[in-house]
Amino acid sequence: MSGFPADFLWGCATAAYQIEGAPKADGKGPSIWDRFVHTPGHLPEGETGDVACDHYHRFREDIALMKRLGMQAYRFSLSWARILPQGTGAVNAAGVAFYSNLIDALLANGIEPMVTLFHWDLPAALDDRGGWLNRESADWFAEYARVAFEAFDGRVKKWVTINEPWVVSDGGYLHGTIAPGHKNRFEAPIASHNLMRAHGAAVKAYREVGQHEIGLVVNIEPKYAASNANADVAATRRAAAYMNEQYLDPALLGSYPPELREVFNGAWPEWDRGDFELIRQPVDFIGVNYYTRSVTRHDDDAWFLKAAAVRQPLATYTETKWEVYPQGLTDTLLWVRERYGDVPLYITENGAAFFDPPVAEDGRVRDPLRTDYLKKHLLAVREAIAAGVDIRGYLVWSFMDNLEWTLGYAKRFGIVHVNFDSLERTPKDSAHWYSRVIASHGESLSERL
């Protein structure tokens, strides 16, 4: 026995802005990322997503490659501004047609689509109206979601409302590191709250018109105290509440963790209790994005959380300076069940950026560190399944190298190599290894690399 359920889904994931390109094609409106990357100083060497992987024009080629590798599911995101160029109002028929053709091509190749409504690329027209700081954003999102549901539900049976609201708020409104580039601790909790209200509004809309499954995707980074000292334990608790519980608690428990009042200090608002009735809509699953852990200590010089990560000696670190720690994935999955009950889970992102050599003369891209990373994390998933956690699928991040947001094109997460000059796709050794894992339904994990 492989240790994975018979109906376990194996697949891969991407996000619209990172791969599609074609930012002005066929009536698409601009997003906050189109603006952000064209602002000098935000990306290395003036890189943008204007071409990216040109998936907009090459999606059939990419789907054919997914089929050859044996993918059973593909998680991708819709560009809100491609469907509603102004964010609300007039629907762009050409944008709907693009995703309709993409979905049809996936189904024709036996690949199940999992569609994410929002993966960070808010229409610029809505940012001009306050973006996620505007309470009307929940209504905007529900309107957009309903357009997508009515166009694609039935062919799409697994929906995600929002991907990683923590990153949107922390990077976009607190630290200013990603679009829209604000840096204001008073804005961050408002943006987070409205993201969660938008999630609830979209789920509510889905229950009216949809027939299948819908959930929320969060990134979880388990926090381990660097010592038993009270200050380190308290810092770890703050960090966990801020990153891991700020979104799951309201979605699944109907409240925020009390530590957030301390974290935000005077910037933490008093929330309308009625908002939590909207936020806490019953979901069919939670998607967990896992990459690394944090060993945490108290640090008076660390802005905001007064907490800092401690680098671990002798550990392997990825190109993004994230520790490789597979046990953290098992711990995370067990923690979700312990805190929130037996909610169905998907691993919606898991992967690593390592230095990849160029395509060799024999056509191979040898990436043993990524293969080792994926194997150990899949074994961690299997361990959680053996402990009784309801895990229904695993989607590797990412299908192919892409624009890694503000890191540009240098950090390669893909199991498929992309030559960003010619746009040629070449499966890496990790892709061929993962293909064998899928074909064996996990049995080949027992084989030595």
Side-chain angles (χ1 to χ4, degrees):
M1 297 292 289
S2 71
F4 294 91
D7 57 354
F8 191 84
L9 266 183
W10 305 88
C12 57
T14 65
Y17 187 75
Q18 293 181 270
I19 65 167
E20 283 182 1
K24 298 178 182 178
D26 302 322
K28 179 188 177 295
S31 77
I32 56 174
W33 274 93
D34 292 314
R35 285 181 173 174
F36 191 78
V37 301
H38 284 279
T39 302
H42 282 161
L43 265 69
E45 300 177 4
E47 293 175 341
T48 75
D50 290 357
V51 176
C53 304
D54 196 29
H55 180 70
Y56 188 78
H57 298 108
R58 298 167 182 258
F59 72 89
R60 296 185 190 281
E61 169 192 342
D62 292 333
I63 291 171
L65 180 52
M66 290 178 202
K67 182 178 181 179
R68 290 202 298 275
L69 293 172
M71 299 297 166
Q72 298 171 354
Y74 174 45
R75 176 180 170 236
F76 63 96
S77 71
L78 308 178
S79 166
W80 186 343
R82 204 177 286 285
I83 293 175
L84 291 166
Q86 296 301 310
T88 61
V91 175
N92 179 28
V96 173
F98 167 69
Y99 291 113
S100 184
N101 292 334
L102 172 62
I103 291 164
D104 284 347
L106 288 167
L107 295 173
N109 284 277
I111 301 169
E112 180 169 1
M114 177 185 281
V115 172
T116 301
L117 291 168
F118 181 70
H119 198 131
W120 309 357
D121 50 348
L122 187 74
L126 296 183
D127 192 52
D128 291 341
R129 297 164 65 182
W132 294 113
L133 301 177
N134 188 331
R135 278 185 65 86
E136 293 182 15
S137 56
D139 298 324
W140 304 336
F141 190 63
E143 177 187 340
Y144 156 57
R146 188 180 290 270
V147 170
F149 298 151
E150 291 177 348
F152 310 129
D153 193 57
R155 288 180 292 164
V156 175
K157 298 180 180 179
K158 292 179 174 59
W159 292 90
V160 171
T161 56
I162 292 170
N163 178 79
E164 299 183 347
W166 178 83
V167 176
V168 179
S169 174
D170 181 83
Y173 290 89
L174 181 66
H175 290 102
T177 54
I178 66 169
H182 298 193
K183 187 175 182 180
N184 189 316
R185 69 184 178 93
F186 288 86
E187 289 187 357
I190 296 171
S192 290
H193 190 68
N194 285 331
L195 282 159
M196 295 311 299
R197 290 178 57 252
H199 156 76
V203 175
K204 187 175 180 180
Y206 188 70
R207 299 306 176 200
E208 296 171 1
V209 301
Q211 301 295 320
H212 303 284
E213 296 183 346
I214 191 165
L216 172 71
V217 165
V218 293
N219 56 304
I220 297 180
E221 184 179 284
K223 310 295 184 181
Y224 302 83
S227 77
N228 292 326
N230 290 340
D232 287 348
V233 172
T236 303
R237 183 74 209 103
R238 291 194 303 274
Y242 172 63
M243 185 170 186
N244 300 333
E245 297 159 19
Q246 184 176 181
Y247 305 95
L248 285 179
D249 274 20
L252 300 178
L253 303 179
S255 63
Y256 287 115
E259 291 85 357
L260 293 183
R261 186 175 296 279
E262 175 190 356
V263 167
F264 283 98
N265 199 356
W268 185 249
E270 294 296 332
W271 305 113
D272 184 337
R273 287 303 310 169
D275 286 352
F276 294 96
E277 296 177 12
L278 175 63
I279 293 170
R280 194 185 181 185
Q281 299 293 315
V283 294
D284 300 298
F285 64 87
I286 292 293
V288 172
N289 294 352
Y290 175 85
Y291 291 95
T292 189
R293 68 161 175 175
S294 175
V295 178
T296 305
R297 65 174 176 83
H298 178 81
D299 184 351
D300 280 325
D301 294 327
W303 181 68
F304 186 62
L305 278 176
K306 302 299 181 185
V310 179
R311 186 174 175 89
Q312 299 301 292
L314 305 182
T316 299
Y317 281 79
T318 70
E319 286 280 285
T320 50
K321 297 180 172 57
W322 297 343
E323 181 192 358
V324 176
Y325 191 71
Q327 181 62 43
L329 179 52
T330 304
D331 294 347
T332 289
L333 297 168
L334 293 172
W335 170 80
V336 171
R337 184 183 63 174
E338 177 183 352
R339 187 172 180 88
Y340 303 108
D342 200 22
V343 58
L345 303 177
Y346 288 89
I347 312 303
T348 39
E349 291 182 24
N350 177 238
F354 289 108
F355 171 78
D356 291 333
V359 179
E361 290 185 5
D362 61 3
R364 287 178 60 185
V365 178
R366 292 166 170 81
D367 60 338
L369 289 175
R370 181 175 295 104
T371 302
D372 184 65
Y373 178 101
L374 296 177
K375 176 176 181 175
K376 288 176 178 175
H377 284 79
L378 278 168
L379 291 172
V381 172
R382 190 170 71 179
E383 183 179 343
I385 292 171
V389 182
D390 184 3
I391 306 171
R392 301 189 176 184
Y394 176 92
L395 300 121
V396 67
W397 186 271
S398 174
F399 171 63
M400 57 184 165
D401 297 333
N402 52 45
L403 179 72
E404 188 47 40
W405 304 108
T406 54
L407 298 177
Y409 292 98
K411 307 303 181 190
R412 294 177 175 266
F413 278 84
I415 59 171
V416 172
H417 177 275
V418 177
N419 180 318
F420 290 110
D421 293 322
S422 68
L423 297 178
E424 181 180 1
R425 279 78 156 137
T426 304
K428 304 175 187 179
D429 283 2
S430 59
H432 296 299
W433 172 86
Y434 186 47
S435 181
R436 293 193 294 274
V437 170
I438 296 172
S440 70
H441 198 67
E443 290 278 2
S444 64
L445 284 172
S446 301
E447 299 173 1
R448 295 183 62 181
L449 292 179

